[in-house]
Amino acid sequence: MITSCYHAPDSALRTGLSPGDIAAALQEPKGLLWVDIEVSERPEAEPLLRDVFRFHPLTIDDCYNTLIDPPKIDDFGDYLFVITHDVQYDAPAKALRTAELDFYIGPNYVVSVHRAPIAAVDDVRRRVEAHAPLLSHGADFLAHALFDVVVDGFHPVVEALDDQVAEAEERVIDNPERALLEDVLRLKRTAQRLRRSILPQRDVATRFSRGEFPRLIREESLMYFRDVYDHTVRVAEMIDSVRDLADSALNTYLSSVNNRINEVMKTLAIVTVVFLPLTLIAGIYGTNFENVPEYGTRFGYPGMLSGMVLLAAALVGWFRFRRWF
């Protein structure tokens, strides 16, 4: 699906442009064109990117690479090529989905390319179709809107992870079971994936906010990109906090398991120590020698049992006195 919106110099908004209309709109420096390309196969989008916009083939390769490229920004003089990551998190399934959003920023156009539906793009499109003044402030402002919505999408994901880690930490204290360990490790991996996505995007926001591209990013737009940079810093800090909480939950789990093992081993050790002398006594009197003195005693057997009971009670009392259990 390829959608297009064109804000003409007379403030008229046109949608559904043909390739010929798009080419004509590019020749009007005072208008603003936004083309969104949601196409999974390269042959469907390449003619428009290559022949109409004349983008570099390497950027088209990045758009339709089978792997997700890390966020970056490349300056081609007449336009900027930006790679960002959009994230969606399925909390019940604890599954993180990362989608790549690429967009080109020119003097009078923005082209966004993605192979799967992205909620951030849909949100900006609805605002444009509702006649929000996004297209009346220039290509850099529209690019900021796309970038900002993508970065803001990290916040609910990180908050959901934070809630799940906090819940896991409480469950660890109550009942440290193996399934809980798998959940904590999965949350740690998810937080690490988020961190790998947000840190490069923070670098992209840094380059925008520093004014490295004065030909395409105007001075009055820098403050908006600085705001996006602040958001990326805040998200990165939240992700680090989630990782710390996950590490704490993991350490708590390991400590709980070790404590449980220690309790079991202590119980087994006490039982062993109590029964060891009783086993020795039973072994001695279980021999088959006729000259054992107690064999001829009338109360030898009850006396042996009584002695074993007294010895066991004395050992248990000693352990209790020493607070060993």
Side-chain angles (χ1 to χ4, degrees):
M1 181 178 65
I2 299 178
T3 60
S4 56
C5 300
Y6 178 59
H7 185 268
D10 58 358
S11 299
L13 182 64
R14 297 170 54 194
T15 60
L17 280 69
S18 66
D21 295 333
I22 292 175
L26 291 175
Q27 305 303 317
E28 178 53 63
K30 295 184 179 180
L32 178 58
L33 173 68
W34 177 27
V35 177
D36 179 63
I37 302 175
E38 183 186 322
V39 175
S40 59
E41 299 297 331
R42 176 171 179 167
E44 300 179 44
E46 187 169 8
L48 182 62
L49 297 174
R50 181 193 60 213
D51 301 332
V52 177
F53 288 96
R54 301 186 183 279
F55 292 139
H56 197 283
L58 290 178
T59 65
I60 302 176
D61 291 339
D62 287 339
C63 291
Y64 287 94
N65 191 355
T66 55
L67 301 177
I68 295 181
D69 297 303
K72 67 173 183 176
I73 179 170
D74 291 330
D75 187 0
F76 287 87
D78 295 334
Y79 61 89
L80 302 176
F81 176 66
V82 184
I83 296 179
T84 61
H85 286 176
D86 176 78
V87 293
Q88 299 292 330
Y89 185 61
D90 185 355
K94 296 182 176 63
L96 180 70
R97 183 186 68 87
T98 303
E100 182 177 318
L101 172 63
D102 310 315
F103 54 91
Y104 299 84
I105 308 173
N108 61 339
Y109 64 84
V110 172
V111 179
S112 53
V113 183
H114 48 103
R115 286 171 290 179
I118 293 180
V121 176
D122 295 336
D123 179 61
V124 175
R125 184 186 299 113
R126 284 192 295 268
R127 290 159 60 186
V128 169
E129 292 175 351
H131 301 283
L134 289 177
L135 297 184
S136 61
H137 293 292
D140 50 358
F141 192 81
L142 175 59
H144 155 266
L146 288 170
F147 193 22
D148 184 46
V149 174
V150 167
V151 171
D152 287 345
F154 279 78
H155 284 273
V157 174
V158 178
E159 290 174 357
L161 284 178
D162 184 73
D163 293 340
Q164 289 186 339
V165 171
E167 178 186 357
E169 196 168 20
E170 294 179 359
R171 291 167 54 198
V172 161
I173 298 175
D174 296 335
N175 185 21
E177 54 187 8
R178 183 166 182 82
L180 184 58
L181 174 62
E182 297 176 358
D183 290 342
V184 172
L185 293 178
R186 188 181 297 110
L187 291 172
K188 283 192 63 176
R189 288 195 299 269
T190 301
Q192 184 62 31
R193 287 181 58 190
L194 283 175
R195 192 171 187 272
R196 287 198 299 265
S197 293
I198 198 61
L199 291 184
Q201 293 195 156
R202 185 182 63 183
D203 297 336
V204 172
T206 300
R207 297 189 64 186
F208 273 127
S209 63
R210 288 177 178 173
E212 295 186 16
F213 316 103
R215 293 183 57 186
L216 297 169
I217 308 299
R218 297 167 298 172
E219 181 71 25
E220 56 266 29
S221 299
L222 296 182
M223 62 180 298
Y224 295 99
F225 285 102
R226 293 191 188 103
D227 182 66
V228 177
Y229 170 76
D230 293 338
H231 292 178
T232 59
V233 171
R234 190 177 305 114
V235 169
E237 292 175 349
M238 293 171 62
I239 293 174
D240 289 339
S241 176
V242 169
R243 291 178 62 204
D244 293 340
L245 287 175
D247 287 335
S248 175
L250 179 60
N251 293 332
T252 303
Y253 171 84
L254 296 176
S255 298
S256 299
V257 171
N258 289 332
N259 288 337
R260 177 179 294 183
I261 293 175
N262 290 338
E263 291 294 330
V264 172
M265 294 303 297
K266 182 171 67 174
T267 302
L268 293 176
I270 290 175
V271 171
T272 302
V273 171
V274 169
F275 279 90
L276 185 61
L278 306 185
T279 304
L280 175 62
I281 295 174
I284 292 175
Y285 287 98
T287 57
N288 296 320
F289 296 104
E290 294 181 358
N291 57 352
V292 176
E294 289 78 6
Y295 277 175
T297 305
R298 180 180 178 182
F299 298 102
Y301 179 70
M304 183 190 69
L305 292 180
S306 300
M308 293 171 69
V309 171
L310 291 175
L311 179 59
L315 289 174
V316 172
W318 173 253
F319 294 151
R320 295 288 295 178
F321 175 75
R322 297 300 301 268
R323 299 181 183 274
W324 288 354
F325 72 95

